[in-house]
Amino acid sequence: MEKIEEQFANLHIVKCSSGTEEPTYLLGIDTSKTVQAGKENLVAVLCSNASIRIYDKERLNVLREFSGHPGLLNGVKFANSCDNIYSACTDGTVKCWDARVAREKPVQLFKGYPSNIFISFDVNCNDHIICAGTEKVDDDALLVFWDVRMNSQDLSTTKDPLGAYSETHSDDVTQVRFHPCNSSMVVSGSSDGLVNVFDINVDNEEDALVTTCNSVSSVSCIGWSGKGYKQIYCMTHDEGFYWWDLNHLDTDEPFTRLNIQDVREVVNMKEDTLDYLIGGLYHEKTDTLHVIGGTNKGRIHLMNCTTSGLTHVTSLQGGHAATVRSLCWNVQDDSLLTGGEDAQLLLWKPGAVEKTFRKKESMKIASSVHQRVRVHSNDSYKRRKKQ
């Protein structure tokens, strides 16, 4: 099997999304897990106009659009067993739509507690549990849980929470990620710098907390990696990178695999630059972790991650003209979807005949979620802590 570095270096743009009337930043991407012969492979994209657009992956044309009105949507995730899509909302709900049906209202609504403003969420691997993280209100920053399953006694489309964790974060819960194959394990990240791992099968919050890791800065991205997904990686809003190994919790081996306070200062990009981090990519078949970053002019950098540090491997260019905010790697066909501030959704595939596109400039839009999108600077976290 080719190494992922070679696959990545061989990627070329094969499709660019069709234009829309309202240009928006593309903040999040997910693809349908239920690919069936003769049916469209769907892509869901979170846009900065507070909507989710559904695309046909092969043609990248917009099929339908869902709005979180009156709230703003945060995050987008397909269910694992059907074509339902979820998004957290600032109106204190998590909304669920059927991606194959155009309708204004969600098919399910998961209501939070009074004053909840949800800014992160995830659905576990068996589609039974949703967990959403809140902004800090007064002294509360919560992880709220719901049971997704419908039963014959309760056919209501609105569901109340199962409960919440309230003691383990002291600031906005910016990230929530369930374990890819263990339905009871979840990790959360916060503006307080803490990354907490929970086993939600345990009855109370204190005992459910497996371990706490400290990134010392506001968390922007977290994910699972390693064999059996026993490792956790974390990125921060000031471009730090951290990597921990849960296998070593009860051993004398080092728990921290890697600790980099500012990736931009330590990675040798040769004649190029690294302006920000986009996300992580764990390749299960090769047991390798990669970190994806980029430049403000739209180039995308792949870095190999080992305990010795991050090493620049290859770059993608010629597609985006502005900051890339989201990506989604498909292991089945080794394709990559990317979205950015130039309002473009691009599909990259290995070994394809490269198509050329006229680059779009960054869309400087006046968006109501402008304060929520990432600001790539050294002092963004420091400014926030002073406020």
Side-chain angles (χ1 to χ4, degrees), residues 124-126 129 145 165 178-179 181-187 198-202 208 210:
N124 73 346
C125 60
N126 60 14
I129 301 294
F145 297 87
Y165 292 165
F178 275 102
H179 191 280
C181 45
N182 183 336
S183 60
S184 68
M185 298 294 291
V186 65
V187 59
F198 300 94
D199 180 353
I200 62 173
N201 276 345
V202 180
V210 175

Side-chain angles (χ1 to χ4, degrees), residues 364-383:
K364 298 302 181 183
I365 48 180
S367 168
S368 56
V369 295
H370 179 70
Q371 297 301 320
R372 294 188 182 282
V373 297
R374 293 175 53 181
V375 178
H376 303 293
S377 66
N378 281 318
D379 60 350
S380 60
Y381 177 65
K382 296 174 186 175
R383 287 200 309 268

Side-chain angles (χ1 to χ4, degrees), residues 168-169 171-172 174-175 187-196 211-223 232-244 255-256 258-263 277 381-382 385:
T168 40
H169 284 299
D171 209 338
D172 300 351
T174 56
Q175 287 278 290
V187 59
S188 61
S190 168
S191 294
D192 62 13
L194 301 183
V195 175
N196 291 326
T211 190
T212 294
C213 314
N214 195 348
S215 72
V216 200
S217 187
S218 177
V219 174
S220 65
C221 176
I222 52 178
I232 294 166
Y233 62 85
C234 164
M235 299 171 193
T236 64
H237 284 104
D238 50 8
E239 316 311 336
F241 180 81
Y242 302 84
W243 190 19
W244 300 286
F255 175 60
T256 301
L258 197 60
N259 180 334
I260 302 175
Q261 290 188 348
D262 191 336
V263 172
L277 298 178
Y381 177 65
K382 296 174 186 175
K385 293 299 285 183

Side-chain angles (χ1 to χ4, degrees), residues 22 52 78 80 155 182 210 263 270 272 290 323 358 381 384:
E22 184 183 3
I52 292 174
F78 271 98
N80 295 287
L155 297 178
N182 183 336
V210 175
V263 172
K270 299 174 183 176
D272 209 340
H290 302 272
T323 300
R358 183 181 176 185
Y381 177 65
R384 176 170 191 160

